[in-house]
Short mmCIF file of all heavy atoms in Angstrom, two decimals:
data_model
loop_
_atom_site.label_atom_id
_atom_site.label_comp_id
_atom_site.label_asym_id
_atom_site.label_seq_id
_atom_site.Cartn_x
_atom_site.Cartn_y
_atom_site.Cartn_z
N VAL O 1172 -52.11 -53.97 -88.57
CA VAL O 1172 -53.05 -53.69 -87.45
C VAL O 1172 -52.79 -54.65 -86.33
O VAL O 1172 -52.57 -55.84 -86.50
CB VAL O 1172 -54.51 -53.76 -88.00
CG1 VAL O 1172 -55.48 -53.45 -86.88
CG2 VAL O 1172 -54.65 -52.95 -89.19
N ASP O 1173 -52.92 -54.17 -85.14
CA ASP O 1173 -52.72 -54.94 -83.84
C ASP O 1173 -53.96 -55.90 -83.65
O ASP O 1173 -54.79 -55.66 -82.90
CB ASP O 1173 -52.45 -54.12 -82.71
CG ASP O 1173 -52.24 -54.90 -81.39
OD1 ASP O 1173 -51.95 -56.05 -81.51
OD2 ASP O 1173 -52.37 -54.29 -80.32
N THR O 1174 -53.94 -56.99 -84.51
CA THR O 1174 -55.17 -57.92 -84.46
C THR O 1174 -54.57 -59.26 -84.80
O THR O 1174 -53.44 -59.49 -85.02
CB THR O 1174 -56.26 -57.53 -85.37
OG1 THR O 1174 -57.39 -58.18 -85.15
CG2 THR O 1174 -55.87 -57.55 -86.79
N SER O 1175 -55.51 -60.24 -84.96
CA SER O 1175 -55.14 -61.58 -85.19
C SER O 1175 -56.31 -62.25 -86.04
O SER O 1175 -57.38 -61.91 -85.79
CB SER O 1175 -54.84 -62.50 -84.02
OG SER O 1175 -56.01 -62.68 -83.20
N TRP O 1178 -58.79 -63.74 -83.48
CA TRP O 1178 -59.78 -62.72 -82.91
C TRP O 1178 -60.86 -62.39 -83.84
O TRP O 1178 -62.05 -62.40 -83.48
CB TRP O 1178 -58.97 -61.47 -82.41
CG TRP O 1178 -59.89 -60.64 -81.49
CD1 TRP O 1178 -59.93 -60.53 -80.13
CD2 TRP O 1178 -60.82 -59.67 -81.97
NE1 TRP O 1178 -60.92 -59.59 -79.70
CE2 TRP O 1178 -61.46 -59.12 -80.84
CE3 TRP O 1178 -61.36 -59.28 -83.19
CZ2 TRP O 1178 -62.47 -58.03 -80.85
CZ3 TRP O 1178 -62.31 -58.21 -83.24
CH2 TRP O 1178 -62.93 -57.71 -82.08
N ILE O 1179 -60.46 -62.04 -85.06
CA ILE O 1179 -61.36 -61.61 -86.05
C ILE O 1179 -62.44 -62.75 -86.38
O ILE O 1179 -63.71 -62.56 -86.42
CB ILE O 1179 -60.84 -61.10 -87.34
CG1 ILE O 1179 -59.84 -59.95 -87.06
CG2 ILE O 1179 -61.84 -60.65 -88.35
CD1 ILE O 1179 -59.00 -59.47 -88.20
N ARG O 1182 -64.75 -63.45 -83.29
CA ARG O 1182 -65.88 -62.41 -82.92
C ARG O 1182 -66.76 -62.14 -84.11
O ARG O 1182 -67.79 -61.63 -83.90
CB ARG O 1182 -65.17 -61.19 -82.52
CG ARG O 1182 -64.14 -61.27 -81.36
CD ARG O 1182 -64.80 -61.46 -80.16
NE ARG O 1182 -63.85 -61.68 -79.16
CZ ARG O 1182 -63.77 -61.03 -77.98
NH1 ARG O 1182 -64.59 -60.16 -77.64
NH2 ARG O 1182 -62.85 -61.29 -77.10
N THR O 1183 -66.34 -62.41 -85.34
CA THR O 1183 -67.13 -61.88 -86.50
C THR O 1183 -67.45 -62.87 -87.63
O THR O 1183 -68.36 -62.74 -88.38
CB THR O 1183 -66.41 -60.61 -87.12
OG1 THR O 1183 -65.28 -61.22 -87.88
CG2 THR O 1183 -65.92 -59.60 -86.26
N CYS O 1258 -76.02 -49.46 -93.94
CA CYS O 1258 -76.10 -50.86 -94.26
C CYS O 1258 -77.53 -51.38 -94.65
O CYS O 1258 -77.68 -52.40 -95.19
CB CYS O 1258 -75.60 -51.73 -93.01
SG CYS O 1258 -73.95 -51.26 -92.53
N ARG O 1297 -58.49 -50.54 -84.46
CA ARG O 1297 -58.63 -52.02 -84.64
C ARG O 1297 -60.02 -52.45 -84.44
O ARG O 1297 -60.37 -53.55 -84.84
CB ARG O 1297 -57.67 -52.76 -83.92
CG ARG O 1297 -57.85 -52.82 -82.40
CD ARG O 1297 -56.84 -53.72 -81.83
NE ARG O 1297 -57.07 -53.78 -80.35
CZ ARG O 1297 -56.47 -54.58 -79.51
NH1 ARG O 1297 -55.65 -55.50 -79.95
NH2 ARG O 1297 -56.76 -54.60 -78.27
N THR O 1298 -60.76 -51.66 -83.58
CA THR O 1298 -62.12 -52.20 -83.35
C THR O 1298 -63.11 -52.02 -84.49
O THR O 1298 -64.17 -52.60 -84.47
CB THR O 1298 -62.75 -51.48 -82.12
OG1 THR O 1298 -62.96 -50.11 -82.39
CG2 THR O 1298 -61.79 -51.52 -80.84
N VAL O 1301 -61.06 -53.77 -89.07
CA VAL O 1301 -61.07 -55.16 -89.49
C VAL O 1301 -62.32 -55.57 -89.93
O VAL O 1301 -62.39 -56.80 -90.52
CB VAL O 1301 -60.49 -56.00 -88.24
CG1 VAL O 1301 -59.23 -55.65 -87.73
CG2 VAL O 1301 -61.57 -56.08 -87.10
N LEU O 1302 -63.47 -54.88 -89.81
CA LEU O 1302 -64.79 -55.39 -90.04
C LEU O 1302 -65.25 -55.24 -91.51
O LEU O 1302 -66.15 -55.89 -91.93
CB LEU O 1302 -65.79 -54.73 -89.11
CG LEU O 1302 -65.40 -54.82 -87.60
CD1 LEU O 1302 -66.47 -53.97 -86.80
CD2 LEU O 1302 -65.54 -56.41 -87.10
N PHE O 1303 -64.64 -54.25 -92.20
CA PHE O 1303 -65.35 -53.83 -93.41
C PHE O 1303 -64.52 -54.25 -94.66
O PHE O 1303 -63.43 -54.32 -94.66
CB PHE O 1303 -65.56 -52.33 -93.34
CG PHE O 1303 -66.64 -51.85 -92.30
CD1 PHE O 1303 -66.15 -51.60 -91.09
CD2 PHE O 1303 -67.98 -51.85 -92.51
CE1 PHE O 1303 -66.98 -51.26 -90.04
CE2 PHE O 1303 -68.89 -51.54 -91.52
CZ PHE O 1303 -68.46 -51.21 -90.31
N LEU O 1341 -73.34 -45.48 -84.04
CA LEU O 1341 -72.75 -45.86 -85.36
C LEU O 1341 -72.84 -44.58 -86.33
O LEU O 1341 -73.90 -44.31 -86.68
CB LEU O 1341 -73.36 -47.03 -85.85
CG LEU O 1341 -73.07 -47.55 -87.28
CD1 LEU O 1341 -71.54 -47.98 -87.29
CD2 LEU O 1341 -73.81 -48.85 -87.67
N MET O 1358 -67.98 -46.39 -84.01
CA MET O 1358 -68.98 -47.35 -83.64
C MET O 1358 -68.78 -47.82 -82.25
O MET O 1358 -67.62 -48.03 -81.77
CB MET O 1358 -68.93 -48.62 -84.63
CG MET O 1358 -69.90 -49.62 -84.28
SD MET O 1358 -69.99 -50.91 -85.46
CE MET O 1358 -68.40 -51.77 -85.07
N GLY O 1360 -69.52 -50.99 -80.76
CA GLY O 1360 -69.81 -52.34 -81.31
C GLY O 1360 -70.85 -53.09 -80.49
O GLY O 1360 -71.76 -53.70 -81.00
N LYS O 1361 -70.63 -53.10 -79.19
CA LYS O 1361 -71.57 -53.85 -78.23
C LYS O 1361 -73.03 -53.33 -78.44
O LYS O 1361 -73.91 -54.16 -78.38
CB LYS O 1361 -71.09 -53.82 -76.87
CG LYS O 1361 -70.06 -54.79 -76.56
CD LYS O 1361 -69.79 -54.82 -75.02
CE LYS O 1361 -68.44 -55.39 -74.66
NZ LYS O 1361 -68.17 -56.74 -75.30
N VAL O 1363 -74.45 -51.78 -81.02
CA VAL O 1363 -74.96 -52.20 -82.27
C VAL O 1363 -75.32 -53.57 -82.22
O VAL O 1363 -76.50 -53.99 -82.77
CB VAL O 1363 -73.95 -51.93 -83.39
CG1 VAL O 1363 -74.41 -52.42 -84.72
CG2 VAL O 1363 -73.50 -50.41 -83.41
N PHE O 1364 -74.46 -54.47 -81.72
CA PHE O 1364 -74.76 -55.90 -81.58
C PHE O 1364 -76.08 -56.17 -80.95
O PHE O 1364 -76.97 -56.83 -81.35
CB PHE O 1364 -73.62 -56.55 -80.92
CG PHE O 1364 -73.69 -58.04 -81.08
CD1 PHE O 1364 -72.74 -58.63 -81.79
CD2 PHE O 1364 -74.49 -58.93 -80.33
CE1 PHE O 1364 -72.67 -60.04 -82.03
CE2 PHE O 1364 -74.52 -60.19 -80.32
CZ PHE O 1364 -73.58 -60.84 -81.25
N HIS O 1395 -78.16 -58.83 -94.02
CA HIS O 1395 -76.99 -57.98 -94.07
C HIS O 1395 -75.78 -58.70 -93.47
O HIS O 1395 -75.89 -59.29 -92.38
CB HIS O 1395 -77.15 -56.62 -93.49
CG HIS O 1395 -75.95 -55.85 -93.20
ND1 HIS O 1395 -75.07 -55.59 -94.20
CD2 HIS O 1395 -75.39 -55.25 -92.15
CE1 HIS O 1395 -74.01 -54.84 -93.81
NE2 HIS O 1395 -74.23 -54.67 -92.66
N ALA O 1397 -72.97 -58.47 -91.60
CA ALA O 1397 -71.89 -57.54 -90.68
C ALA O 1397 -71.14 -58.52 -89.80
O ALA O 1397 -70.05 -58.25 -89.57
CB ALA O 1397 -72.86 -56.72 -89.81
N ASN O 1398 -71.76 -59.61 -89.30
CA ASN O 1398 -71.16 -60.42 -88.25
C ASN O 1398 -71.89 -61.72 -88.17
O ASN O 1398 -73.12 -61.72 -88.13
CB ASN O 1398 -71.27 -59.65 -86.98
CG ASN O 1398 -70.70 -60.32 -85.76
OD1 ASN O 1398 -70.94 -61.44 -85.58
ND2 ASN O 1398 -69.86 -59.48 -85.07
N ARG O 1400 -72.06 -63.85 -85.80
CA ARG O 1400 -72.87 -64.07 -84.62
C ARG O 1400 -74.12 -63.31 -84.52
O ARG O 1400 -75.10 -63.88 -84.12
CB ARG O 1400 -71.93 -63.59 -83.36
CG ARG O 1400 -70.82 -64.50 -83.13
CD ARG O 1400 -70.08 -64.09 -81.80
NE ARG O 1400 -69.68 -62.78 -81.87
CZ ARG O 1400 -69.49 -62.02 -80.81
NH1 ARG O 1400 -69.86 -62.34 -79.63
NH2 ARG O 1400 -69.09 -60.74 -80.91
N ILE O 1401 -74.20 -62.09 -85.17
CA ILE O 1401 -75.55 -61.45 -85.22
C ILE O 1401 -76.45 -62.17 -86.12
O ILE O 1401 -77.71 -62.35 -85.72
CB ILE O 1401 -75.30 -59.95 -85.83
CG1 ILE O 1401 -74.41 -59.10 -84.84
CG2 ILE O 1401 -76.69 -59.33 -86.12
CD1 ILE O 1401 -74.18 -57.68 -85.48
N ASN O 1425 -67.85 -56.85 -93.90
CA ASN O 1425 -69.03 -56.06 -94.11
C ASN O 1425 -69.03 -55.00 -95.11
O ASN O 1425 -68.19 -54.12 -94.98
CB ASN O 1425 -69.36 -55.41 -92.69
CG ASN O 1425 -70.49 -54.54 -92.65
OD1 ASN O 1425 -71.15 -54.25 -93.69
ND2 ASN O 1425 -70.89 -54.12 -91.41
N ILE O 1455 -79.78 -53.90 -90.99
CA ILE O 1455 -79.75 -52.78 -90.01
C ILE O 1455 -78.65 -51.97 -90.23
O ILE O 1455 -77.48 -52.45 -90.65
CB ILE O 1455 -79.82 -53.26 -88.62
CG1 ILE O 1455 -79.60 -51.95 -87.71
CG2 ILE O 1455 -78.95 -54.37 -88.26
CD1 ILE O 1455 -79.23 -52.19 -86.23
N GLY O 1456 -78.75 -50.63 -90.29
CA GLY O 1456 -77.58 -49.71 -90.46
C GLY O 1456 -77.50 -48.47 -89.54
O GLY O 1456 -78.53 -48.37 -88.82
N GLY O 1457 -76.63 -47.70 -89.77
CA GLY O 1457 -76.47 -46.48 -88.92
C GLY O 1457 -77.81 -45.68 -88.99
O GLY O 1457 -78.49 -45.54 -89.93
N1 ACO M 2452 -58.18 -57.44 -82.81
C1 ACO M 2452 -57.83 -57.96 -81.46
N2 ACO M 2452 -58.42 -57.39 -80.32
C2 ACO M 2452 -59.45 -56.53 -80.51
C3 ACO M 2452 -59.82 -56.10 -81.72
C4 ACO M 2452 -59.13 -56.52 -82.86
N3 ACO M 2452 -59.51 -56.15 -84.11
N4 ACO M 2452 -60.75 -55.12 -81.55
C5 ACO M 2452 -61.03 -55.12 -80.17
N5 ACO M 2452 -60.19 -55.97 -79.57
C6 ACO M 2452 -60.07 -56.13 -78.15
C7 ACO M 2452 -60.55 -55.05 -77.29
O1 ACO M 2452 -59.52 -54.09 -77.13
C8 ACO M 2452 -60.89 -55.71 -76.04
O2 ACO M 2452 -59.78 -55.94 -75.15
P1 ACO M 2452 -59.69 -55.79 -73.68
O3 ACO M 2452 -60.67 -56.79 -73.14
O4 ACO M 2452 -58.29 -56.09 -73.39
O5 ACO M 2452 -60.19 -54.36 -73.46
C9 ACO M 2452 -61.43 -57.05 -76.48
O6 ACO M 2452 -60.86 -57.27 -77.82
C10 ACO M 2452 -62.91 -57.23 -76.44
O7 ACO M 2452 -63.45 -56.09 -77.12
P2 ACO M 2452 -64.99 -55.98 -77.26
O8 ACO M 2452 -65.25 -54.62 -78.00
O9 ACO M 2452 -65.72 -56.13 -75.98
O10 ACO M 2452 -65.34 -57.09 -78.25
P3 ACO M 2452 -66.71 -57.76 -78.60
O11 ACO M 2452 -66.88 -59.14 -78.19
O12 ACO M 2452 -67.85 -56.76 -78.32
O13 ACO M 2452 -66.63 -57.70 -80.26
C11 ACO M 2452 -67.36 -56.63 -82.14
C12 ACO M 2452 -66.53 -56.54 -81.00
C13 ACO M 2452 -66.86 -57.71 -83.12
C14 ACO M 2452 -67.31 -55.21 -82.88
C15 ACO M 2452 -68.73 -56.83 -81.73
O14 ACO M 2452 -69.17 -55.88 -80.71
C16 ACO M 2452 -69.70 -56.70 -82.86
O15 ACO M 2452 -69.71 -57.50 -83.71
N6 ACO M 2452 -70.61 -55.71 -82.79
C17 ACO M 2452 -71.52 -55.48 -83.82
C18 ACO M 2452 -71.05 -54.36 -84.61
C19 ACO M 2452 -71.09 -54.71 -86.12
O16 ACO M 2452 -70.97 -55.72 -86.67
N7 ACO M 2452 -71.11 -53.64 -86.79
C20 ACO M 2452 -70.99 -53.62 -88.17
C21 ACO M 2452 -71.29 -52.34 -88.67
S1 ACO M 2452 -72.92 -52.00 -88.32
C22 ACO M 2452 -73.76 -52.76 -89.31
O17 ACO M 2452 -73.34 -53.29 -90.31
C23 ACO M 2452 -75.17 -52.80 -88.96
#
Side-chain angles (χ1 to χ4, degrees):
V1172 178
D1173 179 19
T1174 189
S1175 66
W1178 191 95
I1179 300 172
R1182 305 286 173 130
T1183 71
C1258 302
R1297 67 176 182 171
T1298 69
V1301 303
L1302 303 175
F1303 295 90
L1341 180 56
M1358 178 175 72
K1361 276 192 198 310
V1363 176
F1364 194 104
H1395 169 49
N1398 180 310
R1400 289 188 300 150
I1401 293 178
N1425 180 349
I1455 172 195

